[in-house]
Amino acid sequence: MSVDRVPEKPLPEGDKPGLISSLKQMPTRIYHSIFRYRPVPQNELEQAQAVADNFFFHIHSAKVRERSLKLKTTFGLGMLTLNVFLILCATGVLLMFYYVPSPDEAYERMQDLNGAVFFGRFLRNVHRWAAEAMVVLAVLHMMRVFLTGAHKSPREWNWVLGVVLLLLTLFMSFTGYLLPWDQLAYWAVTVGTAIAKYAPLIGEDLRYVLLGADEVGGEALIRFYVLHVAVLPAIMFALIGWHFWRIRKDGGLARPTTPQKNEVTPVTPDEQPEYDRFPKTEGKTYGLMAVIPIRTPQTGADVEKQVHSWPSALGRELVLFVITLLALSLAAIVWDAPLEGPADPSHPPNPAKAPWYFLGLQEMVAYDAFWGGIGIPTIFVLLAFVAPYLERRKGGEGVWFHPSRSAANWTFLSIMLLLTVLTIIGTFFRGENWDFVVPW
Amino acid sequence: MNRLEHLEDDRAGAVKKTRRSFISWFSVGALAVCAGVMTLFNLIFLKPRVSQGAASKFRIGKPENYASGSVVEMKEAKVVVRRDGNRIAAISTICTHLGCTVNSTDVGFECPCHGSIYDLQGDVVAGPAPEPLAWYRVGLTPSGELEIDKQSVVDAGTYLEVEA
């Protein structure tokens, strides 16, 4: 088969072509100086090239397993989280053009965004709902990974990276919470940072360094702003890159050792190999493949069905992105991001609540300050970090609720359920003086 | 002869190796120390030595402005000034639970956020607060004004004696 590749066009040697014909060539030359291949691949080779030779796509392999693209394998949760993160970056940078991190101006800027700036309210709403969505999606993604055993060897480190990213997401969301400088922001951060104070030894210092003062004020605002717009996004970009790179290096998505019937192309009978390819007879000289200490090439095994990343994976990713953008836009049109009265340090609301994803924590703090605020959360975070290293044998990779993993899965689900219930109680069932109330 | 030469070579190699590895370990160590010191200094840099917010020491006027038995709540400064006969004290209104501002009542203090209740001494009566409210040092300036120092926490029940 002759390869129908877009030819690179070197400048012609010898006779100089005419000026006019040269100019006529210019658009084509400019195009080919930017794009190395034709815009839409025409054959399989070009499909592979489109992915492997493209700066933006080359994090993909040229081909992916059909299984990886099935919705129920991942529900696209990791990709959705990334999409939301990218949307947060874009809207966040736009909001930065109007925002001023000062107690005197921040709140007015919020009102400006809501009323005076064209598209400002929409962008702020998208940013707010995307931030909430990212916390939820990251947790759901984590649950998918655990419940399909995808954190097991050799993917342990990528799980750890994921836990770090989840914590960064929470911190990112928390630092962003303060920026509107309204009552909600002020008291949520007052309460949230007060929880940090309960950490033994470093608690007081941690809170002081975070706030830059004894109380939430202008210093805290500038610190949270810098963390929110520069430090944390930079760290997250790097770690997200590492997280994605490791997916490929760890061999793609987790999958069972023996693929399902419908996931493979069976080898045809005349391709059946002789199973005793390397009979160990006396005096026989073995080929290299028989003696080197690695797995032999999998001849004879059924071939897993694969498709080209272009367009199968990229197309699905585009669809996911459009869905994300659409959902967030709709949410932003229907619901306004909350904005209460300007921050007033002398009038705490009753009850004062931390951001919703910390309300499970606050609920526990109400029972016992140290164990609820620091002890138990630390244990949970440590458990999350070591979870893949507690796994003792292979099995269950890539299968939802694999029977051999039921103990681990139930433990994990119980912890998640406990946190969810505590968060729901803290959010809906706590009223004045943190008394138990029924929301209806 | 040949074997001896080899031995010589090996010994020379060993010396070389030790020197080379010493230099590399030394360099790595020096780099690590530099990085460690830089990190430490950067962390200390982040801890402000001068606080930028409201001054922690502030004057609240002459003692005679406060009648005996009066309780004055200063919302901005987050303190309550109490005069009891000839004695004056300042008690923090920052809840020790999660940092909300408590309200002064006839029998003590109440936190509106999570329901902690303190008595007049600032001791916890009910609720999740783990510690009593802080008492701050009250002093007299040369001009005869009262001065509260929020940096200096004193034992509960420490009053400043003033002239009647």
Side-chain angles (χ1 to χ4, degrees), chain A residues 198 205 219 223 350 352 362, chain B residues 46-47 52 96-97 112-114:
Chain A
Y198 285 105
D205 278 342
E219 289 299 295
R223 276 169 190 237
N350 186 0
Q362 198 180 338
Chain B
L46 286 176
K47 187 174 173 177
Q52 301 286 334
T96 56
H97 175 225
C113 294
H114 312 108

Side-chain angles (χ1 to χ4, degrees), chain A residues 69-91:
Chain A
L69 298 179
K70 289 265 157 50
L71 188 63
K72 72 150 205 189
T73 310
T74 62
F75 292 105
L77 286 165
M79 214 57 217
L80 285 174
T81 315
L82 175 77
N83 290 341
V84 168
F85 178 73
L86 294 177
I87 291 170
L88 279 167
C89 290
T91 50

Side-chain angles (χ1 to χ4, degrees), chain A residues 208-270:
Chain A
Y208 189 69
V209 168
L210 202 56
L211 296 184
D214 287 319
E215 287 163 35
V216 179
E219 289 299 295
L221 185 54
I222 192 85
R223 276 169 190 237
F224 274 46
Y225 178 72
V226 171
L227 286 171
H228 188 77
V229 305
V231 180
L232 297 175
I235 299 175
M236 284 188 82
F237 255 111
L239 287 188
I240 288 172
W242 197 1
H243 198 58
F244 273 62
W245 181 78
R246 278 303 293 247
I247 298 174
R248 268 190 79 177
K249 296 298 165 183
D250 293 338
L253 296 186
R255 60 190 189 285
T257 341
T258 31
Q260 302 269 310
K261 269 268 158 54
N262 58 357
E263 292 166 6
V264 293
T265 319
V267 285
T268 46
D270 58 309

Side-chain angles (χ1 to χ4, degrees), chain A residues 88-241:
Chain A
L88 279 167
C89 290
T91 50
V93 167
L94 288 170
L95 291 173
M96 277 173 73
F97 281 103
Y98 283 98
Y99 183 74
V100 180
S102 124
D104 300 328
E105 288 208 47
Y107 185 75
E108 284 174 30
R109 295 304 181 127
M110 286 299 123
Q111 289 178 314
D112 280 358
L113 277 172
N114 270 356
V117 178
F118 173 75
F119 217 44
R121 181 188 287 263
F122 178 81
L123 285 175
R124 189 174 105 82
N125 290 353
V126 169
H127 195 75
R128 176 57 175 248
W129 300 134
E132 315 278 21
M134 189 169 168
V135 174
V136 176
L137 287 169
V139 170
L140 289 177
H141 171 60
M142 179 190 194
M143 292 180 72
R144 189 283 290 176
V145 169
F146 194 93
L147 296 175
T148 57
H151 60 305
K152 296 175 76 166
S153 172
R155 298 179 178 80
E156 296 108 322
W157 184 249
N158 219 12
W159 165 272
V160 174
L161 288 178
V163 174
V164 176
L165 279 169
L166 175 66
L167 295 177
L168 283 170
T169 305
L170 289 175
F171 195 34
M172 191 75 175
S173 198
F174 183 61
T175 49
Y177 218 85
L178 182 64
L179 304 187
W181 205 248
D182 62 344
Q183 276 287 75
L184 188 70
Y186 184 87
W187 291 102
V189 170
T190 297
V191 168
T193 50
I195 295 175
K197 209 175 57 180
Y198 285 105
L201 301 176
I202 55 160
E204 296 273 350
D205 278 342
L206 184 67
R207 180 169 196 263
Y208 189 69
V209 168
L210 202 56
L211 296 184
D214 287 319
E215 287 163 35
V216 179
E219 289 299 295
L221 185 54
I222 192 85
R223 276 169 190 237
F224 274 46
Y225 178 72
V226 171
L227 286 171
H228 188 77
V229 305
V231 180
L232 297 175
I235 299 175
M236 284 188 82
F237 255 111
L239 287 188
I240 288 172

